[in-house]
Amino acid sequence: MGKLFGVNTRISGKVGQYIFRQTKTGTVVSEAPVKPSTPLRTQRQMDIRTQWANLGAVYKLFDSMLRRGFEELPPGMNVYNAFIQANLGVVKVYITKKMRLNGGVILAPYQITRGSLPSINMTLTSANILQSSVCIDSLVIDATTTVGAFSQAVLENNEAFLEGDQITFFHGSQTIDMVTRTPRATIKGYKIVLDTADDTMLWDHVSPIGFSSVNNFVGASQVITDGAAVWVHSREDVEGDLKVSTQFLYVENAALATYQNNSALVASINSYGGVNSAAVYLQPDLSSN
């Protein structure tokens, strides 16, 4: 703010970015306040923003179990950022802001780990039982199977595994809140370290849900319905760094499709303020995105 003298002393009001005001002591000039502009929220920006809600909710379900799930992260990037980066725009799931605040989450086939160990493949048997590619040959896993016997079978039939390696099975369950109708989910992790000298019972450490024998391979004990599942191979090297296999969740979830269509996209966008442009954001064919 300042005083003017000379030719500008009779000016009053706003001129450009300045405001002139006449006082008893002269003409006072000040800068006009800058009106905050509303940021443009485009269709693309909101499409990305609305995916974050479910991605963050699914990551939270793992409750730090993925804290070392991505190898060799660049400086400044943590595992959560890597998880978001790996899945954003790949598997699109849209939940509303209200749903997220109420604890809503939809299990989806997201990538949960990325690393240098060979991936564990998953297939469905003719009976729809999920089967891994971890071969155990003729070993039949039951309540009498020891960790040592299981470890020996894995090491003898799978070149990628070494003594001391870990196999983790993640099992997710999708439910619907009967009062609010909000979709909810849980994820449990079961891990076993391969130790041929361990004579404790395998099922004292892990659940049969992910550590059963299926056609000479490690598999699930039941059909995965309204849920998700995956096996992860991990190894800590001599320097203390964790190596993992790259894995994606297998998902059998009837609720998933409801939150991947255009109606879910529109509802989610509107819950976060909508698109403040003239562009129409309805997309009849989401598969083209």
Side-chain angles (χ1 to χ4, degrees):
M1 181 181 294
K3 292 183 179 180
L4 292 182
F5 302 92
V7 295
N8 290 323
T9 56
R10 295 181 179 276
I11 298 177
S12 295
K14 183 179 179 183
V15 178
Q17 68 183 81
Y18 299 100
I19 295 178
F20 294 83
R21 181 165 51 88
Q22 298 299 324
T23 69
K24 293 181 180 180
T25 58
T27 302
V28 177
V29 62
S30 60
E31 286 191 76
V34 178
K35 184 179 180 181
S37 59
T38 302
L40 181 64
R41 296 190 297 267
T42 66
Q43 158 74 30
R44 178 175 175 79
Q45 289 170 332
M46 292 302 288
D47 185 299
I48 293 174
R49 178 179 179 180
T50 52
Q51 292 178 56
W52 285 342
N54 196 64
L55 280 166
V58 170
Y59 183 85
K60 187 177 180 180
L61 291 177
F62 283 91
D63 190 26
S64 81
M65 290 184 287
L66 297 182
R67 64 184 180 276
R68 299 174 69 190
F70 286 76
E71 289 183 27
E72 299 183 2
L73 296 179
M77 177 176 282
N78 56 32
V79 173
Y80 171 74
N81 297 143
F83 174 81
I84 296 296
Q85 184 184 74
N87 293 290
L88 192 64
V90 179
V91 180
K92 298 183 178 182
V93 180
Y94 309 101
I95 60 176
T96 64
K97 182 177 182 180
K98 180 179 179 180
M99 189 182 302
R100 178 66 188 95
L101 293 175
N102 286 337
V105 57
I106 295 292
L107 294 175
Y110 293 139
Q111 179 179 342
I112 64 164
T113 57
R114 182 184 65 223
S116 55
L117 296 181
S119 299
I120 296 176
N121 298 326
M122 296 181 290
T123 57
L124 284 178
T125 69
S126 58
N128 289 324
I129 297 294
L130 192 63
Q131 171 185 305
S132 79
S133 59
V134 180
C135 181
I136 52 175
D137 197 19
S138 59
L139 177 68
V140 176
I141 300 175
D142 58 25
T144 66
T145 303
T146 65
V147 172
F150 174 79
S151 301
Q152 191 68 42
V154 171
L155 294 172
E156 288 180 352
N157 294 282
N158 303 272
E159 293 182 356
F161 287 86
L162 301 175
E163 183 100 12
D165 284 6
Q166 180 174 296
I167 300 176
T168 304
F169 180 74
F170 291 109
H171 179 232
S173 298
Q174 185 80 62
T175 59
I176 300 295
D177 190 303
M178 298 304 294
V179 176
T180 65
R181 306 306 301 171
T182 299
R184 301 188 183 280
T186 59
I187 289 179
K188 293 182 179 180
Y190 306 93
K191 64 180 182 181
I192 194 70
V193 175
L194 300 182
D195 180 359
T196 54
D198 189 341
D199 59 1
T200 61
M201 297 300 108
L202 178 66
W203 286 352
D204 286 346
H205 300 273
V206 295
S207 170
I209 185 66
F211 290 87
S212 294
S213 45
V214 179
N215 299 328
N216 301 118
F217 292 87
V218 175
S221 61
Q222 63 190 52
V223 176
I224 303 297
T225 57
D226 293 326
V230 67
W231 288 270
V232 180
H233 177 194
S234 60
R235 172 186 302 150
E236 189 168 334
D237 63 20
V238 294
E239 296 178 349
D241 295 324
L242 192 70
K243 304 298 182 183
V244 298
S245 58
T246 299
Q247 304 294 162
F248 297 78
L249 280 176
Y250 165 81
V251 174
E252 186 61 45
N253 186 4
L256 177 60
T258 303
Y259 295 92
Q260 289 188 297
N261 58 32
N262 192 72
S263 296
L265 169 62
V266 173
S268 184
I269 287 178
N270 288 339
S271 74
Y272 284 95
V275 177
N276 62 345
S277 70
V280 177
Y281 59 77
L282 298 181
Q283 298 179 341
D285 184 11
L286 287 178
S287 64
S288 63
N289 294 340

